[in-house]
């Protein structure tokens, strides 16, 4: 199985990820925005959906603000 695609994301708000971070990090994500443009390729099999990920392009994290809990 393989997936190859073009990604173009501008200022995607990541604050909605807070519930997934809570069990692992002792901080609150007040704000964070990600932008990315490039090609993403994922390889896998029926037994293991993602065995390799390849990225060619640019990615940026902006307006990162965190708070201690």
């Amino acid at each position: 199985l393989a997936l190859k695609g073009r990604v173009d994301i501008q200022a995607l708000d990541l604050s909605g990820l807070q519930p997934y971070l809570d069990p692992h990090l002792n901080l609150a994500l007040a704000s964070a925005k990600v932008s990315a443009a490039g090609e993403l390729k994922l390889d896998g099999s029926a037994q293991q959906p993602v065995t390799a990920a390849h990225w060619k392009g640019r990615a940026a994290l902006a307006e990162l603000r965190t708070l201690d809990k």
Side-chain angles (χ1 to χ4, degrees):
L1 301 174
L3 171 72
K4 182 178 180 182
R6 176 111 182 107
V7 176
D8 191 2
I9 299 169
Q10 300 296 320
L12 177 66
D13 185 3
L14 298 180
S15 61
L17 296 177
Q18 185 62 51
Y20 302 100
L21 299 175
D22 282 340
H24 308 288
L25 299 174
N26 192 23
L27 62 83
L29 187 61
S31 71
K33 293 183 180 178
V34 67
S35 297
E39 293 182 8
L40 176 64
K41 182 180 176 190
L42 301 175
D43 296 316
S45 65
Q47 294 77 25
Q48 192 170 3
V50 178
T51 57
H54 307 274
W55 174 256
K56 182 178 180 181
R58 64 170 187 80
L61 182 61
E63 298 179 29
L64 177 63
R65 291 186 303 131
T66 61
L67 303 169
D68 289 333
K69 286 186 174 183

